[in-house]
Structure formats: structure tokens, C-alpha cells
Amino acid sequence: MSGMWSMYPRSIRVLAAVAAMTSTGMACIWPLVTIYIHDYLGKPLTVSGLLLLLNQGANLVGSVAGGILFDRWGHRRTIAVGSVGAIAVSVALGLTTDFTAYTVLLLLNGFFFGIIFPVLNALVARLWPEGGRKGLNVIYVALNIGVAVGSALCGVLASMSFAWTFFGNAIAQAATLAMFLRCLPQHLAEQPNERAHAAEAAGTEAKQAAAGTERRPVAWGAIGLLCSGLLVCWIVYAQWTTVLSAYMQSLGISLRQYSLLWTLNGALILFGQPLLSWMINRFARTLKAQLLLGAYVFALSMLILSQTTAYAGFVAAMFVMTIGEMLVWPAVPTIAADLAPAGREGMVQGIVGGIASAGRMAGPLVGAMAFEALAPQGMLYLMAVLALVAVGCFAAYSSFVKRPETQPVLSVPEK
């Protein structure tokens, strides 16, 4: 494991550590939000569900805003705004027990965290463009490590006081900001405008080449189809955290058994990277093929669930779904980074992050409506069909790109 870690450039390792710390802080809060609203603030579960929906909407807005700010301000000011905002909001959450104040602060929390993640993805693409999928995949793995650590810490912090879950998040975000500002700047690549000045100094031909690159328009058709496929995949994936948890309990499967499925999910993401590399080498040597395989795997997981009510079937379906997640989630921002013109990386990554939030917003509603109208098996068939819609979107996006996508996703990393 340490040998594989050393293969990544130092700047990518720093970004992965930043991502893990940020995710750890977030996970100190989110597992207990529903419990806090219901048991501590005395509000019904429907209110907590609505607040989480609004939080994802605020996250969507923050993601788009963060991408735009990255392009205009650069990484340091944008991260500073997101992190300082998240720190202030977390401290305020720990100091208040007023429901109205909590509602406003929870929305602001979603907004400021939304600002941070497009910056991380855009920086990966800028710092290590030759890394392809590998750079964004290590960020994805780091985020999941943070979720696992933060989820374990939140119980310890809550046993002292609910306020400490918020203060713990504030401490993690302060450490993230310090790490980002202290460790990363000396490794940053040139900004797009600096590259243009360097090209001008190097000669007219280089200048024209750089200018031509910057004038390349955004391939909105390709990005639109790519994001449509991502949206559908998130709608399918969201069923695991909402409708399927209730469905499993109706089958007599305990909450402990349900939580073990997420333990399997995290362990596979962390330790299943060699399996993922083998699958990509064997079946999906391009990013487009990786997306298609991932969407088919999403459909397969839903079909498995439609044919079983046994816990072993849910274990198998979660295993399959996690493979699909590992294929799709890192690939979409990697392709988006390739489609983004110089100076627009942040905006494009912000849109991708916003679409993921939109899927997390729409998924519970779509799933609940399908569950009531079609019964469990019908809902699962519908989700399988939606995953095939994602296949169609991923298959068609490249027709809007003039530059054919031929880059293998498993290029050898450079130090």
C-alpha cells in the first residue's frame, strides 16, 4: 500500500490528505443530523428529511459557485472562503439550540462545503493532467476514508455532547485549511493566464497555441449528456440510503445488518483498488468504456435485488453496486476535466458536483414514488431501466466531442 501511495506526485498526496480531513469533519455531523433534529430539537422525521433536502440544494448552489470562484479567484481564496465559512457555521451550530437558527446554519453548511470540493477536483486535473483517472480516484478513495473515520468519531464526540460533533467538524476544517495553505502552494501549477504569458515570452508560435487552447469552447453537449448520466446514476444509488433501508426492515433485516452493508462498501473502496485496476485493464481501457461498464453494473445490482429478499442477496447487490460506484464516480470528473477549456476547469467541476447533489436530492423522492406506485420489485426494475438510460447518455456524450477519446485510463503515474 505504501509503495502504491509513493507513486503519486507529492501535490496529489497533499490534496488527498486535505480531502480525507475535510470528509472526516463532515462525517462528524451527518450520521447524527436526523437524530439531533428529532430527539434533541424535538421535530418530526419529515422535518429532518426536508432539511436534508434543502441542505443538498444549498450544496448544489455552493458547488457551482465554488467552481466559478476557482476560475476567477484561484484556489487559495476560494478554499479560504469555503473553509472559513464552514468553520464559522460549525462553531455556531455547536452554540445554538434554536431550531430556526439551526435551519439557516445547516443550509449555510451545505453551501460552504459545496464550495470546497470542485476546487479539489479542478486542482487534481491542473496539477497532474497526465494522471488521468488515477488522480481523481485517489481523491475519491480519500473522501471515503474520511467518511469512515468521521463516522467512528461522531459517536465518541456525541457521547460527550452533541455540540462537540460540530466543534469536531470545525477543528477538522481548520486543520484542512492550514494544511492546504501551508503544504500545497509551492507545488501548484501555473494559472491559465500565467501560461499564456509564458507562451508569449517563448515565441509567437507558442503564444498562438496557448491562445488557441484558451479559445476552445466548452463542449456543452458532451458535458450535458455526461451530467445526465451522472444524475441518473445518483438517483439509482440514493435508493440504498433511503427506500432500500426501509424495505430491508420490512423484510426483517435489522439496522445492524443494514449498517454492515456500508462497512462492506467502505472496505471494498479502500481495499478493492487492485480488483478495480484488473477490471479496467481487462474490460474498460478507456474512460468511456469505464463509464459504460459502471452504468451496466448499477443496473445489474438493481436486478439482483429484484430477485431476492434474502440478506445474502443484499450483500451481493451492495458488492456489485460498490464496483459500479468505483467505476463511475471518479471517471465523470476526469472526463469533465478533459472537456474543460483552460480557465474553465472550476466551473465545469462545479457543475459536475452540483449534478451529484441534484441526484441526491431527487433520488429519495423518485424512489419513494416508485415504491408506492409499483411495489418493491417494480421500483427495482425501474431503477435498472434508469441505469440503462445512463448507459445511453454515456455512450452518446463523445459524439459531441471533436477530439476522439483514446487515452487509456491506467497510464503509469509520474513522480
Side-chain angles (χ1 to χ4, degrees), residues 58-403:
N59 188 270
L60 186 160
V61 175
S63 183
V64 176
I68 294 172
L69 291 176
F70 175 84
D71 293 334
R72 294 185 178 179
W73 288 357
H75 64 284
R76 298 191 71 183
R77 290 174 64 186
T78 307
I79 281 288
V81 168
S83 296
V84 171
I87 292 167
V89 168
S90 294
V91 171
L93 281 167
L95 296 176
T96 185
T97 56
D98 179 75
F99 177 70
T100 302
Y102 182 85
T103 299
V104 174
L105 290 169
L106 195 65
L107 296 182
L108 289 174
N109 185 272
F111 175 78
F112 285 118
F113 272 112
I115 289 176
I116 296 172
F117 292 105
V119 177
L120 297 179
N121 285 345
L123 273 178
V124 170
R126 182 174 292 176
L127 288 169
W128 197 31
E130 68 275 14
R133 182 197 67 90
K134 280 183 169 290
L136 284 161
N137 187 66
V138 76
I139 300 298
Y140 162 72
V141 174
L143 290 172
N144 281 277
I145 291 173
V147 168
V149 174
S151 298
L153 286 176
C154 75
V156 177
L157 295 173
S159 66
M160 297 186 292
S161 169
F162 265 111
W164 270 105
T165 62
F166 302 117
F167 295 151
N169 179 42
I171 293 170
Q173 302 319 315
T176 294
L177 181 60
M179 186 188 310
F180 189 92
L181 296 180
R182 181 176 178 83
C183 300
L184 198 61
Q186 59 184 318
H187 304 287
L188 284 179
E190 296 173 317
Q191 298 292 333
N193 60 335
E194 293 172 338
R195 289 201 300 268
H197 291 312
E200 184 176 3
T204 303
E205 181 178 352
K207 176 183 177 182
Q208 292 174 345
T213 300
E214 292 187 9
R215 286 198 301 267
R216 179 163 64 90
V218 180
W220 289 117
I223 291 174
L225 284 170
L226 195 67
C227 287
S228 296
L230 179 65
L231 175 68
V232 171
C233 285
W234 265 110
I235 289 173
V236 175
Y237 187 84
Q239 306 315 309
W240 278 100
T241 59
T242 53
V243 174
L244 286 176
S245 62
Y247 175 52
M248 290 175 68
Q249 289 184 67
S250 71
L251 296 175
I253 298 172
S254 68
L255 284 175
R256 181 177 178 276
Q257 290 174 301
Y258 171 73
S259 66
L260 285 175
L261 293 179
W262 291 107
T263 303
L264 170 64
N265 174 269
L268 185 57
I269 290 171
L270 181 57
F271 299 109
Q273 295 301 311
L275 171 63
L276 182 68
S277 296
W278 176 82
M279 291 183 65
I280 291 172
N281 275 324
R282 184 71 174 82
F283 303 109
R285 295 193 62 84
T286 67
L287 286 165
K288 180 177 178 179
Q290 182 177 332
L291 281 179
L292 293 173
L293 178 60
Y296 278 123
V297 168
F298 270 55
L300 176 61
S301 70
M302 293 293 109
L303 291 176
I304 291 173
L305 289 176
S306 70
Q307 301 303 309
T308 184
T309 56
Y311 182 65
F314 284 90
V315 172
M318 174 57 86
F319 184 92
V320 172
M321 178 66 81
T322 303
I323 294 296
E325 170 189 353
M326 293 164 70
L327 288 165
V328 174
W329 294 170
V332 172
T334 302
I335 296 172
D338 183 57
L339 295 174
R344 297 287 190 90
E345 300 97 333
M347 180 192 69
V348 172
Q349 292 297 337
I351 292 172
V352 170
I355 289 297
S357 295
R360 290 190 290 269
M361 289 174 63
L365 178 61
V366 172
M369 293 174 62
F371 190 88
E372 292 180 358
L374 304 174
Q377 191 173 48
M379 183 273 291
L380 293 168
Y381 283 140
L382 175 62
M383 291 300 142
V385 171
L386 287 178
L388 295 179
V389 171
V391 170
C393 293
F394 293 149
Y397 90 89
S398 60
S399 63
F400 289 84
V401 183
K402 293 182 180 178
R403 296 170 295 111

